[in-house]
Amino acid sequence: MVDWNLAVATATRLVRPGPDVSRDEARAVVAELRRHAKASEEHVRGFTRMGTEGLHDTPILVVDRPGWVRANVAGFREILKPLLDKMQERRGNTPGGAVMSAVGGKVTGVELGMLLSFLASRVLGQYETFAPSTRELPAGENGGGRLLLVAPNIVHVERELDVQPHDFRLWVCLHEETHRTQFTAVPWLRDHLEGEIQSFLGETEVDPMTVLERVREAAQSLAGGRPEGEEDDGGRSLVEIVQTPAQREILGRLTAVMSLLEGHADFVMDGVGPSVVPTVQEIREKFQQRRAKGASRLDLALRKLLGLDAKLRQYRDGEKFVRAVVDQVGMDGFNRVWTSPNTLPTKAEIAKPADWVARVHRKAES
């Protein structure tokens, strides 16, 4: 259904070149990011009071844009395999299905590559939860993930914002290290998320061509090939077209978890920042403006189509939830959220933190 090798080749061919740096400058950036990532471990764990179990099983990789593409294609391939096998089986039972799959796989590979080339120049860092390990891109043993820091993107943004490079690089590392801490200190979290995602994908009954058409529309938006006024297609994202009632319920739970994880990372970054990042206030203000504004009208359209605008809301809503809970019951009280899937906040509780406090703390104290 998807020619993954063609997706990688297309994305690496189309991805924008990184900022102009000399070889010595590039080496210095990579070395500094590695130092900051290591220093962030102690900062984050001290602030969050979360454990270190599994920490050293998850490597930290400083990558370029093609490296980010290869890592994410490997992750997509792993997590989407059950769904794509199901779609392939359905297609194989139709007349001419094998030929259509071969052709469709090439087309989808090119279009997925186009989308990844767009995203590859925007991601600063990422904790890859479901990453399979390869010689080129190692991951943790026993299902552990890996932390990616995309060096050219970090340099590009620090120059664009005109902020102190040393401070900005540490600030980014604090956010990404928080995600690494979440998954290494909470052993059940990865399997819980994977189970929810597979349940969501397992409920998918949409015709494969509908999904491929949505990817095609996104790629056409990227290429500027869609008619004026049609770029948001009524506001539906790729995720929204495959929602059954059961999927909407699962997606609500996933949204709550992702809001928690992203908001917690922002909260920790702001909490640790003032003591170790002298210019954190300037960085935060400029970065928030950039995050809210987006780069262009096309960027805003694609963010909506891909569901990235929902991710921005997750940062805001999740950070408010974490801050409100910590204010009410302290960091140790907040950390009860990591006890089990039953103590994760619901989507409604993200919006009303007091309801989570009442449910989890009253239950624990009764």
Side-chain angles (χ1 to χ4, degrees):
M1 299 301 294
V2 181
D3 188 327
W4 298 105
N5 292 332
L6 185 57
V8 171
T10 301
T12 53
R13 186 177 71 252
L14 295 179
V15 70
R16 298 174 184 176
D20 186 18
V21 296
S22 69
R23 182 169 296 182
D24 287 343
E25 287 175 316
R27 287 174 178 159
V29 170
V30 170
E32 184 172 26
L33 285 172
R34 286 177 176 155
R35 289 196 303 271
H36 285 331
K38 186 65 179 175
S40 295
E41 295 175 8
E42 183 177 349
H43 296 318
V44 170
R45 278 157 181 75
F47 183 81
T48 63
R49 303 178 193 172
M50 297 177 74
T52 61
E53 182 181 353
L55 170 63
H56 301 294
D57 186 38
T58 55
I60 299 169
L61 307 179
V62 182
V63 299
D64 58 10
R65 290 169 178 175
W68 180 87
V69 168
R70 288 190 292 272
N72 275 265
V73 166
F76 288 154
R77 191 171 188 167
E78 184 80 6
I79 200 69
L80 292 176
K81 187 177 186 303
L83 173 63
L84 294 178
D85 286 349
K86 178 181 177 181
M87 293 168 67
Q88 182 69 36
E89 182 180 358
R90 179 183 298 179
R91 174 61 60 80
N93 293 330
T94 61
V99 174
M100 291 176 67
S101 291
V103 174
K106 297 290 185 185
V107 172
T108 308
V110 169
E111 292 169 341
L112 178 60
M114 292 173 68
L115 292 176
L116 287 170
S117 71
F118 170 81
L119 295 171
S121 63
R122 284 157 172 76
V123 177
L124 302 182
Q126 174 183 357
Y127 183 78
E128 276 204 301
T129 316
F130 309 108
S133 183
T134 66
R135 188 170 70 175
E136 182 185 29
L137 292 165
E141 299 177 3
N142 303 317
R146 59 185 169 223
L147 178 61
L148 305 180
L149 296 169
V150 190
N153 296 351
I154 293 172
V155 172
H156 171 78
V157 173
E158 71 191 26
R159 290 179 178 180
E160 179 186 324
L161 298 181
D162 190 25
V163 292
Q164 212 284 333
H166 172 87
D167 287 2
F168 183 75
R169 294 167 193 175
L170 177 55
W171 188 73
V172 171
C173 287
L174 290 171
H175 182 100
E176 302 308 331
E177 176 58 32
T178 304
H179 288 315
R180 185 166 173 248
T181 296
Q182 291 162 347
F183 284 93
T184 55
V186 186
W188 54 264
L189 185 57
R190 178 192 182 276
D191 289 343
H192 172 71
L193 266 181
E194 183 176 18
E196 292 281 54
I197 291 170
Q198 292 304 336
S199 295
F200 181 89
L201 296 176
E203 290 288 333
T204 299
E205 296 297 340
V206 70
D207 179 76
M209 290 308 297
T210 305
V211 177
L212 301 186
E213 180 62 26
R214 185 60 52 171
V215 174
R216 185 167 299 115
E217 290 174 4
Q220 289 171 348
S221 287
L222 179 59
R226 300 188 64 190
E228 182 73 20
E230 293 187 8
E231 65 275 355
D232 65 359
D233 194 36
R236 293 192 301 166
S237 71
L238 281 167
V239 171
E240 291 172 322
I241 66 164
V242 292
Q243 284 189 56
T244 64
Q247 283 179 313
R248 281 192 289 273
E249 184 177 336
I250 297 167
L251 189 63
R253 295 196 298 268
L254 281 171
T255 298
V257 175
M258 297 311 297
S259 296
L260 170 69
L261 299 180
E262 296 294 358
H264 184 234
D266 267 12
F267 177 79
V268 172
M269 187 168 56
D270 286 347
V272 175
S275 63
V276 296
V277 182
T279 60
V280 65
Q281 185 173 353
E282 176 192 359
I283 291 172
R284 183 70 158 146
E285 289 175 357
K286 289 183 174 180
F287 193 78
Q288 287 286 63
Q289 291 171 3
R290 179 184 186 273
R291 182 188 274 175
K293 182 177 63 175
S296 65
R297 185 167 175 267
L298 174 60
D299 186 67
L300 291 171
L302 275 168
R303 277 180 10 193
K304 194 166 191 177
L305 186 60
L306 297 173
L308 299 182
D309 54 336
K311 187 176 179 68
L312 297 180
R313 290 194 297 273
Q314 288 168 6
Y315 283 112
R316 294 192 298 268
D317 297 345
E319 197 273 340
K320 289 178 182 176
F321 170 84
V322 176
R323 186 172 301 281
V325 172
V326 172
D327 286 347
Q328 189 169 346
V329 296
M331 186 63 74
D332 291 335
F334 165 78
N335 280 341
R336 289 190 185 178
V337 78
W338 311 118
T339 304
S340 75
N342 292 331
T343 57
L344 291 172
T346 65
K347 190 175 180 181
E349 287 171 341
I350 288 288
K352 295 183 177 180
D355 290 353
W356 178 88
V357 172
R359 176 173 68 87
V360 172
H361 282 262
R362 286 177 184 169
K363 183 176 180 180
E365 293 163 4
S366 62

